[in-house]
C-alpha cells in the first residue's frame, strides 16, 4: 500500500509520528508536507495530496493541520476527492464503509497522536460497502460533476 501525507506548520510533529507509524506497518508514504514550523499555507499540502490520490498514484491520503478542517476543505475541491476530518475512530471507519472516503484528515491541535493512530487504523482497516451507499456517493459525484442534483429538483 502507498499513501500520501501532507500537513502545515502546526502539524509537523504529528505528521512525523503518523508517517513513522505507517512506515512501521510496511506502508510506503509519499510526504508532500512541510517539515518546518515556519508558517505554511495548508491548501498547498491539501492540494498536493488530493492530486496524487485523484490521479491514482497513491491508494489514499492523510492530511493534518491545526483542526484538519482547512486542509480537508482544500482537498475536497479536487475532483474525485472525498476527504473527511475525524476526531475519533468511529467516524473514520464509517467514512470509508459508507462514504468511500479516499482521504482522512485530523487536527494536531484537536487530538493526540494515539487517537490519530486509532483513526488511521480504523480507516485503513475498513472497506467501502457499496450497495445502498453507492446511490448517495453517486449523488455527491453528480453535484461535483454538474453543479446540480436531479434528485433535489
Ligand atoms: C493555522 O493557524 C491553522 O489555521 C490551520 O492549521 C488549520 O487549523 C486550518 O484549518
Amino acid at each position: 500500500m502507498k499513501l500520501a501525507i501532507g500537513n502545515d506548520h502546526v502539524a509537523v510533529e504529528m505528521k512525523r509520528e503518523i508517517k513513522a507509524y505507517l512506515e512501521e506497518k510496511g506502508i510506503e508514504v509519499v510526504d508532500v508536507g512541510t517539515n518546518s514550523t515556519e508558517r505554511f499555507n495548508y491548501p498547498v499540502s491539501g492540494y498536493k495530496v488530493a492530486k496524487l490520490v485523484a490521479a491514482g498514484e497513491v491508494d489514499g491520503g492523510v492530511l493534518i493541520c491545526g483542526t484538519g478542517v482547512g486542509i480537508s476543505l482544500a482537498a475536497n475541491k479536487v475532483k474525485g476527492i472525498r476527504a473527511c476530518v475525524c476526531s475519533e475512530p468511529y467516524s473514520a471507519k464509517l467514512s470509508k464503509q459508507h462514504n468511500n472516503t479516499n482521504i482522512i484528515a485530523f487536527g494536531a491541535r484537536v487530538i493526540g497522536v494515539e487517537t490519530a493512530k486509532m483513526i488511521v487504523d480504523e480507516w485503513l482497516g475498513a472497506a467501502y460497502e457499496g450497495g445502498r451507499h453507492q446511490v448517495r456517493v453517486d449523488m455527491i459525484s453528480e453535484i461535483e460533476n454538474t453543479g446540480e442534483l436531479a434528485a433535489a429538483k
Side-chain angles (χ1 to χ4, degrees):
M1 174 177 277
K2 191 171 172 182
L3 297 176
I5 196 165
N7 61 287
D8 72 357
H9 57 289
V10 172
V12 172
E13 192 48 43
M14 183 175 276
K15 186 277 298 286
R16 286 194 181 127
E17 292 188 63
I18 295 300
K19 182 181 176 186
Y21 183 67
L22 292 169
E23 287 173 340
E24 277 166 25
K25 292 172 176 290
I27 296 169
E28 188 181 343
V29 182
V30 181
D31 183 357
V32 302
T34 181
N35 286 304
S36 165
T37 52
E38 293 292 308
R39 195 171 294 164
F40 182 93
N41 295 323
Y42 57 78
V44 176
S45 288
Y47 174 80
K48 284 184 175 179
V49 167
K51 290 298 276 188
L52 288 170
V53 172
E57 291 180 35
V58 294
D59 302 305
V62 177
L63 290 172
I64 320 169
C65 65
T67 59
V69 173
I71 205 162
S72 58
L73 288 175
N76 274 316
K77 297 301 178 190
V78 173
K79 195 169 177 180
I81 293 303
R82 288 175 302 280
C84 156
V85 56
C86 290
S87 296
E88 37 71 34
Y90 180 76
S91 298
K93 177 179 178 176
L94 270 287
S95 82
K96 180 72 77 63
Q97 290 179 337
H98 291 190
N99 316 112
N100 201 16
T101 48
N102 45 20
I103 292 179
I104 194 79
F106 36 84
R109 285 175 169 159
V110 180
I111 61 171
V113 71
E114 295 306 319
T115 302
K117 288 176 185 174
M118 290 172 74
I119 286 171
V120 164
D121 282 343
E122 288 294 326
W123 186 67
L124 290 175
Y128 177 51
E129 291 176 355
R132 72 184 194 280
H133 303 294
Q134 189 58 48
V135 67
R136 298 151 188 171
V137 173
D138 285 344
M139 284 182 179
I140 295 169
S141 299
E142 183 185 340
I143 297 167
E144 179 177 66
N145 292 329
T146 69
E148 294 182 24
L149 182 61
K153 288 188 175 158

